[in-house]
Amino acid sequence: MFSLRTVRTRNIVVPLRCTYRCVHVSLVQRNIPKAEELLDQFAQGNDKGASVTAKRQAYLNKYNDKLREKIAKEGFKSVDDMAASKRAAEAKVRETQRESESHPGTSVEARDEALREKLSEKRRATENSKLMDDSGSPSPVQPLSSFMKLEKVVHETPDNIGKLWAGFHIMKNKVSAVVPAATYVQMIVTAKKFPQFVLPLPRAVKNEAGNAENGYEIYYLQWVSLPKPKEASSNAPPPMAVLFTPLAEYKLRQEYAQPTLVLTHYTELLESKGIALMRGDITESENGKVHVQQQDAQLLALGLQRFYNLDWALEGLDNDEEAEKRRALLRSFYERPEAFKLEDLIELAWSV
């Protein structure tokens, strides 16, 4: 067993690390020369000093060749030059240490910031990978050109395009919508402020007595950017997808949780026709079942628009009490999660 004792001799504190048992203090004190013995040694310093000098000179002579090689290799002219350089380097190290000690949080903060950025990049890459299959092509998100011939709608009105879009997806039993450009821009502004949020989905649940009651399942949503169309201008809003995942599933698997619903907003016609086209894709599980039905997807799309179609330029000025409450709820979700109330979320999501 290792132990540590401290031996105090005059004004000197000597820590002793011993194995199995410690050396007794009295034994240590016996090995320390007395004051008069030290005086005698200094009084006899002539012969001893000469001996030390001779030994030092012999040592220098022995390693003189190696020392000259080292001096030449490191680019110094003499031993004094090399020693001065070493002292300057040590002084610089000490100065750096003092600077670090005077700002103890700087290096730690830089390290933490680098770690946060690395985790953020990993999260973004994982979120984007959810939209890609093994071959690298978007799945379930498909490019607009894969199911719409854009050259054939060039001369169509936005109203006609909307009817064609809705009719196509009704036949495919898919959720769709035509979003005016102004509405889409407002949603993007809100999405940049609050890229994650939660929405309640009404569900029928059984109580303790086995009777059906109205309840809610909470969904976690994330906005992710998609590649901008080639024909879009540099200042055009980017196309975005919204991933919906049951909150319980997201808590369990975090970034590895697979979305059950993806709402994709296509912007190819945003500048030419003033509309964005939204398409909803429901993800099937491994056994071919779906977690959400069409009506569930429509409710989530409606809830998304309620919370993200907000004009932030009118915050505090539009006299819209419901809009102010939704802004406050978004802020509390990010800035004051302890003040976020599920009851307020349910009321604001589905109040008429």
Side-chain angles (χ1 to χ4, degrees), residues 32-229:
I32 300 176
K34 295 180 180 179
E36 54 268 23
E37 294 177 353
L38 291 173
L39 290 173
D40 290 341
Q41 290 180 11
F42 282 118
Q44 301 170 2
N46 291 337
D47 294 338
K48 192 171 184 178
S51 176
V52 171
T53 302
K55 289 181 179 180
R56 182 174 181 274
Q57 187 60 43
Y59 179 85
L60 290 176
N61 291 338
K62 182 178 180 180
Y63 293 99
N64 193 39
D65 293 339
K66 292 184 178 180
L67 188 60
R68 280 198 298 267
E69 290 178 5
K70 183 176 179 62
I71 292 172
K73 184 177 181 180
E74 296 188 10
F76 298 107
K77 295 180 179 179
S78 64
V79 175
D80 292 338
D81 287 344
M82 184 172 66
S85 177
K86 298 292 183 184
R87 287 194 296 271
E90 291 172 358
K92 186 175 182 179
V93 170
R94 289 194 295 271
E95 179 66 23
T96 302
Q97 291 176 344
R98 285 195 296 269
E99 183 69 20
S100 177
E101 291 172 359
S102 63
H103 300 86
T106 303
S107 59
V108 176
E109 291 172 359
R111 181 194 63 194
D112 291 347
E113 180 62 29
L115 180 60
R116 282 194 295 270
E117 181 61 27
K118 184 176 180 180
L119 292 175
S120 179
E121 290 178 359
K122 180 181 177 181
R123 188 189 71 251
R124 287 194 294 268
T126 304
E127 290 172 354
N128 289 333
S129 70
K130 296 175 185 177
L131 304 175
M132 309 294 288
D133 61 17
D134 294 337
S135 65
S137 59
S139 175
V141 176
Q142 301 176 8
L144 183 60
S145 58
S146 66
F147 43 82
M148 175 180 278
K149 295 182 178 179
L150 296 175
E151 66 275 9
K152 291 189 176 183
V153 299
V154 171
H155 302 293
E156 295 288 346
T157 64
D159 186 55
N160 286 341
I161 294 173
K163 291 177 181 179
L164 292 170
W165 182 256
F168 173 80
H169 287 90
I170 288 175
M171 290 188 297
K172 296 291 184 179
N173 197 27
K174 287 183 175 293
V175 177
S176 67
V178 177
V179 184
T183 299
Y184 182 71
V185 169
Q186 286 187 173
M187 293 179 71
I188 294 303
V189 171
T190 308
K192 288 181 179 180
K193 290 176 177 287
F194 311 105
Q196 295 92 27
F197 194 54
V198 289
L199 284 177
L201 184 64
R203 294 290 198 193
V205 296
K206 291 184 178 181
N207 57 21
E208 295 179 355
N211 299 321
E213 290 184 349
N214 292 329
Y216 295 89
E217 182 180 17
I218 306 303
Y219 270 74
Y220 179 77
L221 68 89
Q222 305 172 51
W223 289 80
V224 295
S225 296
L226 300 175
K228 185 176 289 189

Side-chain angles (χ1 to χ4, degrees), residues 6 16 60 69 98 115 125 152 156 159 172 175 182 185 200 214 241 243 268 271 275 280 287 300 306 315 347 351:
T6 301
L16 301 175
L60 290 176
E69 290 178 5
R98 285 195 296 269
L115 180 60
K152 291 189 176 183
E156 295 288 346
D159 186 55
K172 296 291 184 179
V175 177
V185 169
N214 292 329
L243 315 182
E268 280 86 341
E271 294 178 293
I275 56 175
N287 56 12
L300 289 173
R306 282 195 166 190
E315 184 177 10
E347 178 184 355
S351 60

